[in-house]
Coordinates of all heavy atoms in Angstrom, one line a residue:
V7 N 48.5 -195.1 62.3 CA 47.6 -195.6 61.3 C 48.4 -196.7 60.5 O 49.4 -196.4 59.9 CB 47.1 -194.5 60.3 CG1 46.1 -195.1 59.3 CG2 46.5 -193.3 61.0
G8 N 47.8 -197.9 60.5 CA 48.5 -199.1 59.9 C 49.0 -200.0 61.0 O 49.9 -199.5 61.7
G9 N 48.5 -201.2 61.1 CA 49.0 -202.1 62.1 C 49.8 -203.3 61.6 O 49.6 -204.4 62.0
G10 N 50.6 -203.0 60.5 CA 51.5 -204.0 60.0 C 52.7 -204.2 60.9 O 52.6 -203.9 62.1
I11 N 53.8 -204.5 60.3 CA 55.0 -204.8 61.1 C 55.4 -203.6 61.9 O 55.6 -203.6 63.1 CB 56.2 -205.3 60.3 CG1 55.8 -206.7 59.7 CG2 57.5 -205.4 61.1 CD1 56.7 -207.2 58.7
A12 N 55.5 -202.4 61.3 CA 55.9 -201.2 61.9 C 54.8 -200.7 62.9 O 55.2 -200.4 64.1 CB 56.2 -200.1 60.9
G13 N 53.6 -200.7 62.5 CA 52.5 -200.1 63.3 C 52.2 -200.9 64.5 O 52.1 -200.3 65.6
I35 N 44.9 -197.5 64.3 CA 43.8 -197.7 63.3 C 44.3 -198.6 62.2 O 45.5 -198.4 61.7 CB 43.5 -196.3 62.7 CG1 43.1 -195.2 63.7 CG2 42.6 -196.4 61.5 CD1 41.8 -195.4 64.2
D36 N 43.5 -199.5 61.8 CA 43.9 -200.4 60.6 C 42.6 -200.7 59.9 O 41.5 -200.9 60.6 CB 44.6 -201.6 61.0 CG 45.3 -202.3 59.8 OD1 44.7 -202.8 58.9 OD2 46.6 -202.2 59.8
H37 N 42.6 -200.9 58.6 CA 41.4 -201.2 57.9 C 41.1 -202.7 58.0 O 40.0 -203.2 57.5 CB 41.3 -200.7 56.4 CG 42.5 -201.1 55.6 ND1 42.7 -200.6 54.3 CD2 43.5 -202.0 55.8 CE1 43.8 -201.2 53.8 NE2 44.2 -202.0 54.7
N38 N 42.0 -203.5 58.5 CA 41.8 -204.9 58.8 C 41.5 -205.1 60.3 O 41.8 -204.2 61.1 CB 43.0 -205.8 58.4 CG 43.1 -205.9 56.9 OD1 42.0 -205.8 56.2 ND2 44.3 -206.0 56.3
S40 N 42.8 -207.8 62.0 CA 43.9 -208.5 62.6 C 45.2 -208.3 61.9 O 45.3 -207.9 60.7 CB 43.6 -210.0 62.7 OG 43.3 -210.5 61.5
H41 N 46.3 -208.5 62.6 CA 47.7 -208.3 62.1 C 48.2 -209.6 61.5 O 48.0 -210.6 62.1 CB 48.6 -207.9 63.3 CG 50.0 -208.0 63.0 ND1 50.7 -207.0 62.3 CD2 50.9 -208.9 63.3 CE1 52.0 -207.3 62.1 NE2 52.2 -208.5 62.7
V42 N 48.9 -209.4 60.4 CA 49.5 -210.6 59.8 C 51.0 -210.2 59.5 O 51.3 -209.1 59.2 CB 48.7 -211.0 58.6 CG1 48.7 -210.0 57.5 CG2 49.3 -212.3 58.0
K44 N 53.5 -209.9 57.2 CA 53.4 -209.8 55.7 C 54.4 -210.8 55.0 O 54.0 -211.3 53.9 CB 53.6 -208.4 55.3 CG 53.1 -208.1 53.9 CD 53.2 -206.6 53.6 CE 52.8 -206.4 52.1 NZ 52.9 -204.9 51.8
P45 N 55.6 -211.0 55.5 CA 56.5 -211.9 54.7 C 55.9 -213.3 54.7 O 56.5 -214.2 54.0 CB 57.8 -211.8 55.5 CG 57.8 -210.5 56.1 CD 56.4 -210.2 56.5
M46 N 54.8 -213.6 55.3 CA 54.2 -215.0 55.1 C 53.1 -215.0 54.1 O 52.5 -216.1 53.8 CB 53.6 -215.4 56.5 CG 54.5 -216.0 57.5 SD 53.6 -216.7 58.8 CE 53.3 -218.3 58.3
L47 N 52.7 -213.8 53.5 CA 51.6 -213.8 52.7 C 51.6 -214.8 51.5 O 50.6 -215.4 51.1 CB 51.4 -212.4 52.1 CG 50.7 -211.3 53.0 CD1 50.6 -210.0 52.3 CD2 49.4 -211.8 53.6
H48 N 52.8 -215.0 50.9 CA 52.9 -215.9 49.8 C 52.6 -217.3 50.2 O 52.2 -218.1 49.4 CB 54.3 -215.8 49.1 CG 55.4 -216.1 50.1 ND1 55.8 -215.3 51.1 CD2 56.2 -217.2 50.1 CE1 56.8 -215.9 51.7 NE2 57.1 -217.0 51.2
F64 N 43.7 -207.4 66.5 CA 44.1 -206.1 67.0 C 43.5 -205.8 68.3 O 44.1 -205.2 69.2 CB 43.8 -205.0 66.0 CG 44.7 -204.9 64.8 CD1 44.2 -205.0 63.5 CD2 46.1 -204.8 64.9 CE1 45.0 -204.9 62.4 CE2 46.9 -204.8 63.8 CZ 46.4 -204.8 62.5
G78 N 39.5 -198.6 60.7 CA 39.4 -197.3 59.9 C 40.3 -197.4 58.7 O 41.3 -198.0 58.7
E79 N 39.9 -196.6 57.7 CA 40.7 -196.6 56.5 C 41.2 -195.2 56.3 O 40.5 -194.2 56.2 CB 39.7 -196.9 55.3 CG 40.2 -196.6 53.9 CD 40.9 -197.8 53.3 OE1 40.5 -199.0 53.6 OE2 41.8 -197.6 52.5
L80 N 42.5 -195.0 56.3 CA 43.1 -193.7 56.1 C 42.6 -193.1 54.8 O 42.7 -193.7 53.7 CB 44.7 -193.8 56.0 CG 45.4 -192.5 55.7 CD1 45.3 -191.6 56.9 CD2 46.9 -192.8 55.5
A81 N 42.0 -191.9 54.9 CA 41.4 -191.3 53.7 C 41.9 -189.9 53.5 O 41.8 -189.3 52.4 CB 39.9 -191.3 53.9
A117 N 52.0 -195.7 59.1 CA 52.7 -196.9 58.8 C 51.8 -197.8 58.0 O 51.5 -199.0 58.3 CB 53.0 -197.6 60.2
V118 N 51.4 -197.3 56.8 CA 50.4 -198.0 56.0 C 51.0 -198.9 54.9 O 50.3 -199.5 54.1 CB 49.3 -197.1 55.3 CG1 48.4 -196.5 56.4 CG2 50.0 -195.9 54.6
G119 N 52.3 -199.1 55.0 CA 52.9 -200.1 54.1 C 53.0 -199.7 52.6 O 53.0 -198.6 52.3
S120 N 53.1 -200.8 51.8 CA 53.2 -200.6 50.4 C 52.5 -201.7 49.6 O 52.0 -202.6 50.2 CB 54.7 -200.6 50.0 OG 55.2 -201.9 50.2
V137 N 49.6 -210.2 45.8 CA 49.6 -210.8 47.1 C 50.1 -209.8 48.2 O 51.0 -210.1 48.9 CB 50.4 -212.1 47.2 CG1 49.6 -213.3 46.5 CG2 51.8 -212.0 46.6
D138 N 49.4 -208.6 48.2 CA 49.9 -207.6 49.1 C 49.2 -207.5 50.4 O 49.5 -206.7 51.3 CB 49.8 -206.2 48.3 CG 50.8 -206.1 47.2 OD1 52.0 -206.5 47.5 OD2 50.5 -205.7 46.1
A173 N 62.3 -210.9 46.3 CA 62.0 -212.0 47.3 C 60.6 -212.5 47.2 O 60.4 -213.7 47.3 CB 62.3 -211.4 48.7
T174 N 59.6 -211.7 47.0 CA 58.2 -212.1 47.0 C 58.0 -213.1 45.8 O 57.5 -214.2 46.0 CB 57.3 -211.0 46.8 OG1 57.5 -210.0 47.8 CG2 55.8 -211.4 46.9
E177 N 60.1 -216.4 46.4 CA 59.6 -217.3 47.5 C 58.2 -217.9 47.1 O 57.9 -219.0 47.4 CB 59.5 -216.5 48.8 CG 60.9 -216.1 49.3 CD 60.9 -215.5 50.7 OE1 59.8 -215.0 51.2 OE2 61.9 -215.6 51.4
P271 N 50.5 -196.9 49.2 CA 49.1 -196.8 48.9 C 48.8 -195.4 48.3 O 49.4 -194.4 48.8 CB 48.3 -197.0 50.2 CG 49.3 -197.7 51.1 CD 50.7 -197.3 50.6
V273 N 46.6 -193.2 48.7 CA 46.1 -192.1 49.6 C 47.3 -191.3 50.2 O 47.2 -190.1 50.5 CB 45.2 -192.7 50.7 CG1 46.0 -193.6 51.6 CG2 44.6 -191.6 51.6
L305 N 56.9 -194.4 58.9 CA 58.0 -195.4 59.0 C 57.5 -196.6 58.3 O 56.4 -196.8 57.9 CB 58.3 -195.7 60.5 CG 57.3 -196.4 61.4 CD1 58.0 -196.9 62.6 CD2 56.2 -195.5 61.7
G306 N 58.5 -197.5 58.0 CA 58.2 -198.7 57.3 C 58.1 -198.4 55.8 O 58.6 -197.4 55.3
D307 N 57.5 -199.3 55.0 CA 57.4 -199.2 53.6 C 56.8 -197.9 53.0 O 57.1 -197.5 51.9 CB 56.6 -200.3 53.0 CG 57.3 -201.7 53.0 OD1 58.4 -201.8 53.6 OD2 56.7 -202.6 52.5
C308 N 55.9 -197.2 53.8 CA 55.3 -196.0 53.3 C 56.1 -194.8 53.4 O 55.7 -193.7 53.1 CB 53.9 -195.8 53.9 SG 53.9 -195.2 55.6
T321 N 62.7 -201.5 51.3 CA 61.4 -201.7 51.9 C 61.3 -203.2 52.4 O 60.9 -204.1 51.7 CB 60.3 -201.5 50.9 OG1 60.6 -202.1 49.7 CG2 60.1 -200.0 50.6
T322 N 61.8 -203.4 53.6 CA 61.9 -204.7 54.2 C 61.3 -204.8 55.6 O 61.2 -203.7 56.3 CB 63.3 -205.2 54.3 OG1 64.1 -204.4 55.2 CG2 64.0 -205.3 52.9
A323 N 61.0 -206.0 56.0 CA 60.5 -206.2 57.4 C 61.6 -205.7 58.4 O 61.2 -205.1 59.5 CB 60.2 -207.7 57.6
Q324 N 62.8 -205.9 58.1 CA 63.9 -205.5 59.0 C 63.9 -204.0 59.3 O 64.0 -203.6 60.4 CB 65.2 -206.0 58.4 CG 66.4 -205.8 59.4 CD 67.7 -206.2 58.7 OE1 68.8 -205.8 59.2 NE2 67.8 -206.8 57.6
A326 N 61.4 -201.9 58.7 CA 60.1 -201.5 59.4 C 60.2 -201.8 60.9 O 59.9 -200.9 61.7 CB 59.0 -202.3 58.8
L358 N 67.6 -212.7 54.2 CA 67.4 -214.1 54.0 C 66.3 -214.4 53.0 O 65.4 -213.6 52.9 CB 66.9 -214.7 55.4 CG 68.0 -214.8 56.5 CD1 67.3 -214.8 57.8 CD2 68.8 -216.0 56.3
H390 N 65.6 -217.8 59.1 CA 64.4 -217.2 58.4 C 63.2 -217.4 59.3 O 62.4 -216.4 59.6 CB 64.2 -217.9 57.1 CG 63.2 -217.2 56.2 ND1 61.9 -217.5 56.2 CD2 63.3 -216.2 55.4 CE1 61.2 -216.8 55.3 NE2 62.1 -215.9 54.8
Ligands
FAD501 C1 54.6 -211.8 49.9 C2 55.7 -210.9 50.6 C3 56.8 -211.5 51.1 C4 57.8 -210.7 51.7 N1 58.9 -211.3 52.2 C5 59.8 -210.6 52.9 C6 60.9 -211.2 53.5 O1 61.2 -212.4 53.3 N2 61.8 -210.3 54.1 C7 61.6 -209.0 54.3 O2 62.3 -208.3 55.0 N3 60.5 -208.4 53.8 C8 59.6 -209.1 53.0 N4 58.5 -208.6 52.5 C9 58.4 -207.1 52.7 C10 57.8 -206.8 54.1 O3 56.7 -207.6 54.3 C11 57.5 -205.3 54.2 O4 58.7 -204.6 54.0 C12 57.0 -205.0 55.6 O5 55.8 -205.7 55.9 C13 56.8 -203.5 55.8 O6 56.1 -203.3 57.0 P1 55.1 -202.0 57.2 O7 54.7 -202.0 58.6 O8 55.7 -200.8 56.6 O9 53.9 -202.4 56.2 P2 52.9 -203.6 56.3 O10 53.4 -204.7 57.1 O11 52.5 -203.9 54.9 O12 51.6 -203.0 57.1 C14 50.8 -202.0 56.6 C15 49.5 -202.0 57.4 O13 48.8 -200.9 57.0 C16 47.4 -201.2 56.9 N5 46.9 -200.3 55.9 C17 47.2 -200.2 54.6 N6 46.5 -199.2 54.0 C18 45.7 -198.7 55.0 C19 44.8 -197.6 55.0 N7 44.5 -196.9 53.9 N8 44.1 -197.4 56.1 C20 44.3 -198.2 57.2 N9 45.2 -199.2 57.3 C21 45.9 -199.4 56.1 C22 47.5 -202.7 56.4 O14 46.3 -203.4 56.7 C23 48.7 -203.2 57.2 O15 48.2 -203.8 58.4 C24 57.6 -209.3 51.8 C25 56.4 -208.8 51.3 C26 55.5 -209.6 50.7 C27 54.2 -208.9 50.1

Side-chain angles (χ1 to χ4, degrees):
V7 188
I11 295 175
I35 302 288
D36 197 291
H37 56 189
N38 288 330
S40 53
H41 165 80
V42 61
K44 195 173 177 183
M46 277 189 87
L47 282 181
H48 61 288
F64 285 127
E79 166 92 30
L80 177 66
V118 289
S120 66
V137 286
D138 289 317
T174 305
E177 294 190 338
V273 64
L305 68 168
D307 285 8
C308 74
T321 47
T322 62
Q324 188 186 164
L358 290 156
H390 193 266

